[in-house]
Amino acid sequence: MDPQQQTAGGMAAPPGNWPATAPPPAPGSLEAGLQVQAAQVPSDCPPGLEYLTQIDQLLVHQQVELLEAFVGFETNNKYTVKNTLGQQVFYAVEDTNCCTRNCLGNWRCFDMKILDNATREVVHLNRGLRCTSCWCPCCLQKMEVTSPPGTVVGYVCQSWSMCFPKFTIEDASGTTILRIEGPLCTWNLCGDVEFDVLSADGNTKVGKISKQWSGFAKEAFTDADNFGISFPMDLDVKMKAVMLGACFLIDFMFFERSGNKKDQKKAGMLH
């Protein structure tokens, strides 16, 4: 070890600019990830996504909107994206107009901005106005993911299926990188609803997107949902961003409120 990287007691000094007198950051924390970014981040990593190279899980929490809860008036969805220690990594906000939200409900097209903690937009999501039903296989859901905004890094594409929700995670060229398969019933009382993330050939489970039970009151009276996302640590950081986009698309398709009723009591794609 380089002598300049040792403290007086012979212990290794923390990397980066972490104060020598401070305890080292917890593994997996935002501070720990920031310390190693400069040395380990791939050269093609979009700016603002460096921290994603250090983690294999994200937690997504939708904010409760009181106006929606009490009068059923649909407002822009807002989410905080956190690491497993509960530290905020990103903030996501839907960008649609009032007419689109309240007339089209969970079918609506939207743009979503994903901001870092410095309020810089690092990922942009675009969902066009398309069908969601298995009875219309010619115009299924597709979400474009750009990072930095304007540079396409991948797509979330719905695959035709009569009963089970299915999606593909594709790179910018349209090559399938991962697959997502959901359950027949996307409603589970007092339990989580899991969408399995599979390898490109569909044979190996490599992660999951889990809609987590939030408690009776929150589930019954709001559309604020909690999700967990897990993916391989060595997955391309761009595909991790696309996975985050897939979580939002799944939320809108299966768990978003429509008026004063949740649209999650349904069987697979039969809606």
Side-chain angles (χ1 to χ4, degrees), residues 6-22:
Q6 294 183 345
T7 62
M11 299 297 292
N17 295 322
W18 192 258
T21 57

Side-chain angles (χ1 to χ4, degrees), residues 27-29 51 55-59 82-87 89:
S29 68
Y51 179 63
I55 58 175
D56 60 0
Q57 295 183 63
L58 285 171
L59 304 177
K82 302 179 180 180
N83 60 19
T84 55
L85 299 179
Q87 298 172 314
V89 179

Side-chain angles (χ1 to χ4, degrees), residues 26-139:
S29 68
L30 187 58
E31 292 84 358
L34 293 173
Q35 285 187 354
V36 296
Q37 284 177 7
Q40 300 183 5
V41 170
S43 58
D44 62 345
C45 177
L49 301 186
E50 294 85 357
Y51 179 63
L52 291 183
T53 63
Q54 309 299 322
I55 58 175
D56 60 0
Q57 295 183 63
L58 285 171
L59 304 177
V60 179
H61 301 294
Q62 185 176 355
Q63 295 186 359
V64 176
E65 300 292 342
L66 296 179
L67 187 61
E68 288 188 31
F70 288 110
V71 301
F73 184 84
E74 186 69 34
T75 59
N76 279 323
N77 285 1
K78 302 178 182 68
Y79 307 81
T80 55
V81 182
K82 302 179 180 180
N83 60 19
T84 55
L85 299 179
Q87 298 172 314
Q88 181 173 311
V89 179
F90 302 115
Y91 179 77
V93 58
E94 177 189 355
D95 183 14
T96 55
N97 60 55
C98 176
C99 181
T100 298
R101 292 192 304 273
N102 290 278
C103 292
L104 297 179
N106 66 328
W107 284 34
R108 64 187 181 267
C109 55
F110 64 83
D111 287 279
M112 184 172 292
K113 299 178 181 180
I114 300 179
L115 313 173
D116 64 11
N117 288 329
T119 68
R120 297 172 298 186
E121 184 178 3
V122 295
V123 180
H124 190 94
L125 310 177
N126 175 262
R127 177 201 190 189
L129 183 60
R130 289 171 168 259
C131 297
T132 61
S133 173
C134 65
W135 307 117
C136 301
C138 59
C139 192

Side-chain angles (χ1 to χ4, degrees), residues 80-262:
T80 55
V81 182
K82 302 179 180 180
N83 60 19
T84 55
L85 299 179
Q87 298 172 314
Q88 181 173 311
V89 179
F90 302 115
Y91 179 77
V93 58
E94 177 189 355
D95 183 14
T96 55
N97 60 55
C98 176
C99 181
T100 298
R101 292 192 304 273
N102 290 278
C103 292
L104 297 179
N106 66 328
W107 284 34
R108 64 187 181 267
C109 55
F110 64 83
D111 287 279
M112 184 172 292
K113 299 178 181 180
I114 300 179
L115 313 173
D116 64 11
N117 288 329
T119 68
R120 297 172 298 186
E121 184 178 3
V122 295
V123 180
H124 190 94
L125 310 177
N126 175 262
R127 177 201 190 189
L129 183 60
R130 289 171 168 259
C131 297
T132 61
S133 173
C134 65
W135 307 117
C136 301
C138 59
C139 192
L140 296 176
Q141 291 292 300
K142 184 175 184 178
M143 174 179 281
E144 180 186 75
V145 182
T146 61
S147 181
T151 302
V152 176
V153 296
Y155 303 91
V156 184
C157 299
Q158 182 185 2
S159 301
W160 185 86
S161 175
M162 180 64 72
C163 298
F164 294 88
K166 295 184 178 182
F167 302 86
T168 57
I169 300 294
E170 302 177 358
D171 63 15
S173 65
T175 301
T176 297
I177 305 300
L178 297 170
R179 298 183 184 274
I180 299 175
E181 294 187 4
L184 174 64
C185 180
T186 54
W187 180 77
N188 188 0
L189 181 63
C190 300
D192 296 348
V193 180
E194 295 187 351
F195 290 72
D196 292 334
V197 179
L198 309 173
S199 57
D201 59 13
N203 294 329
T204 306
K205 182 178 177 179
V206 298
K208 66 180 179 180
I209 297 176
S210 176
K211 192 273 181 185
Q212 301 167 344
W213 175 256
S214 303
F216 177 79
K218 191 173 181 181
E219 294 284 342
F221 300 109
T222 77
D223 65 352
D225 298 310
N226 295 329
F227 290 86
I229 310 173
S230 64
F231 36 69
M233 179 73 77
D234 60 354
L235 181 66
D236 187 332
V237 67
K238 297 176 184 178
M239 295 303 99
K240 292 182 180 181
V242 179
M243 282 280 295
L244 182 57
C247 177
F248 293 128
L249 181 59
I250 287 172
D251 181 32
F252 271 82
M253 289 183 64
F254 301 104
F255 307 107
E256 176 67 6
R257 204 175 180 90
S258 180
N260 284 320
K261 297 180 181 180
K262 277 204 168 184

